[in-house]
């Protein structure tokens, strides 16, 4: 994958199937064109790129890193769009809402945070008694299923607060 041969930590397909992103433990992220396999972009988000998620359009790629940040990238040009900061510990997973207007992140700091990717604003912080390490949006974007370290599955309201 990369020149260092670092292990791959995550893979993500764009919804249209035209791009595949691969994150490596050395912090490098490669975005490949499908079906040619050509490298479309090389991203360098920093320390420990661990988790990936494309927005529904495939134009934006979110990268969660072990440095507690989420970076948003233009997947075609490889340009960093913005960095989201707010977690106190490592990020374990992230996912765009079905409409792409929100991004959820789960972390070791016992929270799920919901962000507005268009401006980087933190919209909601949902605390948990244990580490939240995996999540998935409901198809209607109203709820998030969260897998917690104690092996329980929790469902939370993710509706935008007014």
């Amino acid at each position: 994958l990369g020149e260092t041969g670092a292990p791959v930590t995550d893979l993500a397909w764009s919804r249209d199937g035209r791009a595949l992103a691969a994150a490596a433990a050395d912090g490098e992220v490669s975005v490949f064109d499908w079906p040619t396999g050509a490298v479309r972009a090389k991203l360098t988000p920093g320390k420990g790129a661990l988790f990936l998620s494309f927005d529904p359009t495939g134009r934006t790629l979110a990268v969660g890193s072990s440095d507690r940040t989420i970076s948003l990238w233009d997947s075609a040009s490889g340009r960093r769009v913005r960095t989201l900061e707010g977690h106190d510990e490592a990020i374990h997973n992230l996912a765009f809402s079905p409409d792409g207007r929100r991004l959820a992140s789960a972390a070791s700091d016992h929270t799920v945070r919901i962000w507005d990717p268009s401006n980087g604003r933190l919209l909601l912080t949902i605390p948990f008694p244990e580490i939240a390490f995996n999540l998935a949006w409901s198809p209607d974007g109203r709820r998030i299923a969260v897998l917690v370290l104690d092996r329980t599955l929790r469902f939370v309201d993710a509706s935008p607060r007014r």
Side-chain angles (χ1 to χ4, degrees), residues 11-14 20-23 29-31 41 43 51-55 57-64 70-76 79-82 94 96 103:
L11 298 168
W13 283 102
S14 62
L20 174 68
V29 176
S30 299
V31 181
L43 317 178
F51 298 100
L52 305 171
S53 182
F54 277 103
D55 78 338
T57 68
R59 289 190 295 265
T60 300
L61 178 66
V63 179
I70 300 164
S71 50
L72 302 179
W73 299 80
D74 179 299
S75 66
R79 183 180 63 83
R80 186 188 308 248
V81 176
R82 72 181 33 85
L94 42 83
F96 280 95
L103 176 69

Side-chain angles (χ1 to χ4, degrees), residues 7-135:
V8 173
T9 59
D10 199 19
L11 298 168
W13 283 102
S14 62
R15 188 178 285 179
D16 66 7
R18 294 183 181 169
L20 174 68
D26 64 0
E28 185 176 279
V29 176
S30 299
V31 181
F32 300 95
D33 182 66
W34 186 260
T36 69
V39 175
R40 184 187 290 187
K42 285 259 191 200
L43 317 178
T44 52
K47 182 180 171 190
L50 300 174
F51 298 100
L52 305 171
S53 182
F54 277 103
D55 78 338
T57 68
R59 289 190 295 265
T60 300
L61 178 66
V63 179
S65 299
S66 61
D67 66 1
R68 306 178 310 230
T69 64
I70 300 164
S71 50
L72 302 179
W73 299 80
D74 179 299
S75 66
S77 70
R79 183 180 63 83
R80 186 188 308 248
V81 176
R82 72 181 33 85
T83 300
L84 310 178
E85 297 181 6
H87 279 292
D88 296 324
E89 295 186 38
I91 295 163
H92 290 291
N93 208 328
L94 42 83
F96 280 95
S97 61
D99 64 6
R101 294 170 51 188
R102 291 170 290 153
L103 176 69
S105 56
S108 289
D109 63 7
H110 297 217
T111 66
V112 167
R113 295 177 192 242
I114 301 175
W115 312 84
D116 180 338
S118 70
N119 60 22
R121 192 169 64 109
L122 178 62
L123 301 174
L124 182 63
T125 299
I126 304 166
F128 286 89
E130 296 277 344
I131 293 171
F133 68 91
N134 204 341
L135 55 82

